[in-house]
Amino acid sequence: MNVMTASVALNDGRTPAQAGAQGNERDAGSPVRTDWTRTEIADLFDLPFDELMFRAQTVHRAHHAIGQVQLCTLLSIKTGGCPEDCGYCSQSASADTQLKAEKLMEVQAVLASAAEAKAAGSQRFCMGAAWRNPKDRDMDAVIAMVEGVRAMGMETCMTLGMLTPDQAQRLAAAGLDYYNHNIDTSPENYANIISTRSFEDRLDTLAHVRAAGINVCSGGIVGLGETRSDRVGFVHALATLPRHPESVPVNALVPVKGTVLGNMLADTPLAKIDDIEFVRTVAVARITMPLSMVRLSAGRESMSDATQALCFMAGANSIFTGDQLLTTGNAGDDADAALLAKLGMTPMVGEEPMRRSSCC
Ligand code: SAM
Ligand code: DTB
Ligand code: SF4
């Protein structure tokens, strides 16, 4: 791997490589640091925008293919009726969203949808379930989905809520490539957004996924009414995990009427996250987690082309394609094809940095 050594100076004058040598042993000598302080991250957020973008772009170019965007497709395999009370989510049974709760999809229907995604050029198929956690009786079906999608030559990702160590190991044995489990916001803001589980519950599942050898996808949401300090705490929590997530989805809140946060935003439209602050968050994620894929996730439908272009400049290099995310709209294939053509960007080919055999 082409390891960057000296081009980006940290606030304290050390290069990431020097700092990494003081971080955990696994990453010694690499540019990856897991010992970021909140002050360092807050200082990155505070940089003049042009300097922040320059640093993010420099880190990005050292590790990632330029002009390439990874394309992923999402499918809701079990929609609605979720017992958790996440204040942003249309699928929570506590939300007043009229969303009809459905049963787990049949395996064949999931595989048909994956085949369509593959034909449309998608590289990864992400399957999401509105569960607090999968029941053991659900495991055979989800395992058949993983095996079937993999047999088509696509990468697989699942997001099913909390996992036990045993469930994580079963998914790993089936060949699951990634597990998505977001920390969503700072540890101190977590209880303002979700009361039915704790931030530590999230970390526990991430540890089970890691221990099982599945690649970790973990990120969160910007625009929940959180403070700058919460965004600092959110990036800090991810960038100081024992190993950075291979993928970091950064969602912009999609305000859904009938959810706590959707209603809040409808009442106070000025609460919508500022585009520049969103781009800053992407850039700081890129700088602090140099090898991770940073995915521009929910919220692209209402984002201008210019804001999305700034996010790519800031180091985002993955998107969800298609007209639908889980229950809300997405930019759509035509809009994305036009955007990528306008920007001269192409679908990603090749291995992600953290999955190259020479990495970490
Ligand atoms: N139930 C599983 C869980 O919570 O881990 C998986 C599905 S959940 C919908 C996946 C992620 O989608 C959440 O963690 C959150 O970050 C994001 N999300 C959900 N609703 C959203 C919304 N309205 N706007 C932006 N992101 C959202
Ligand atoms: C993630 O961070 N964003 C995706 C994926 N992981 C599963 C989900 C976005 C959901 C947006 C709201 C919805 O469509 O219901
Ligand atoms: Fe359930 Fe996941 Fe939605 Fe929370 S984010 S209510 S856990 S589906």
Side-chain angles (χ1 to χ4, degrees):
M1 189 184 70
N2 174 18
V3 175
M4 179 187 62
T5 51
S7 50
V8 179
L10 301 173
N11 295 330
D12 58 4
R14 291 175 302 165
T15 65
Q18 289 161 343
Q22 297 171 6
N24 66 1
E25 264 172 48
R26 165 184 226 136
D27 298 324
S30 89
V32 177
R33 287 180 56 198
T34 57
D35 63 349
W36 290 95
T37 66
R38 281 203 184 207
T39 306
E40 285 176 312
I41 293 176
D43 287 350
L44 289 173
F45 266 100
D46 280 344
L47 283 173
F49 191 70
D50 53 349
E51 175 66 18
L52 176 63
M53 293 295 275
F54 175 76
R55 291 202 198 185
Q57 188 55 212
T58 307
V59 172
H60 189 71
R61 282 171 176 266
H63 302 289
H64 298 269
I66 297 305
Q68 295 190 10
V69 185
Q70 180 186 56
L71 306 181
C72 310
T73 301
L74 262 176
L75 175 69
S76 180
I77 59 171
K78 195 275 162 211
T79 304
C82 183
E84 303 274 38
D85 69 352
C86 311
Y88 47 77
C89 187
S90 63
Q91 308 200 67
S92 168
S94 349
D96 185 15
T97 53
Q98 317 287 314
L99 189 78
K100 200 171 137 267
E102 289 170 14
K103 289 199 306 217
L104 180 63
M105 282 176 72
E106 297 293 334
V107 176
Q108 285 315 319
V110 172
L111 299 188
S113 179
E116 274 178 39
K118 184 174 172 159
S122 191
Q123 294 143 354
R124 183 175 304 166
F125 196 63
C126 307
M127 296 161 266
W131 284 327
R132 175 174 164 79
N133 52 266
K135 306 262 182 325
D136 282 340
R137 64 164 188 258
D138 302 315
M139 290 304 288
D140 286 347
V142 296
I143 281 169
M145 292 171 193
V146 172
E147 289 170 346
V149 175
R150 278 200 112 218
M152 289 175 194
M154 291 181 92
E155 288 185 323
T156 51
C157 178
M158 284 200 149
T159 178
L160 312 172
M162 292 184 273
L163 295 182
T164 63
D166 180 60
Q167 287 173 330
Q169 269 150 25
R170 288 190 66 193
L171 289 168
L176 182 66
D177 296 292
Y178 289 81
Y179 196 76
N180 168 242
H181 200 65
N182 289 345
I183 60 160
D184 278 332
T185 187
S186 66
E188 59 276 19
N189 192 35
Y190 202 77
N192 297 326
I193 308 296
I194 301 152
S195 77
T196 48
R197 60 172 186 254
S198 68
F199 195 82
E200 286 66 36
D201 289 331
R202 276 327 241 192
L203 296 182
D204 286 348
T205 290
L206 289 176
H208 302 330
V209 169
R210 210 20 120 205
I214 301 169
N215 294 295
V216 169
C217 171
S218 186
I221 311 184
V222 180
L224 300 168
E226 78 283 350
T227 61
R228 160 69 74 82
S229 163
D230 290 318
R231 289 186 282 279
V232 169
F234 156 62
V235 175
H236 179 258
L238 293 171
T240 56
L241 285 171
R243 182 177 158 93
H244 293 163
E246 278 74 11
S247 292
V248 177
V250 184
N251 297 276
L253 177 72
V254 178
V256 180
K257 202 162 160 269
T259 61
V260 175
L261 290 162
N263 291 348
M264 179 200 83
L265 216 70
D267 294 342
T268 49
L270 286 178
K272 184 182 179 303
I273 189 72
D274 177 69
D275 286 346
I276 298 294
E277 183 67 9
F278 185 82
V279 177
R280 280 186 185 274
T281 310
V282 170
V284 176
R286 163 52 64 231
I287 293 168
T288 52
M289 293 173 278
L291 298 180
S292 306
M293 301 294 289
V294 175
R295 183 166 307 114
L296 195 49
S297 301
R300 286 197 310 115
E301 194 184 20
S302 60
M303 241 176 239
S304 68
D305 284 358
T307 300
Q308 292 186 63
L310 279 175
C311 289
F312 294 136
M313 294 286 296
N317 57 353
S318 176
I319 57 173
F320 285 118
T321 55
D323 298 331
Q324 171 112 353
L325 291 164
L326 291 173
T327 66
T328 64
N330 193 26
D333 291 339
D334 292 348
D336 282 340
L339 175 65
L340 294 188
K342 198 162 23 172
L343 299 177
M345 297 179 85
T346 51
M348 194 180 102
V349 288
E351 198 81 89
E352 296 177 9
M354 288 183 78
R355 299 193 65 193
R356 286 187 202 133
S357 51
S358 57
C359 171
C360 347

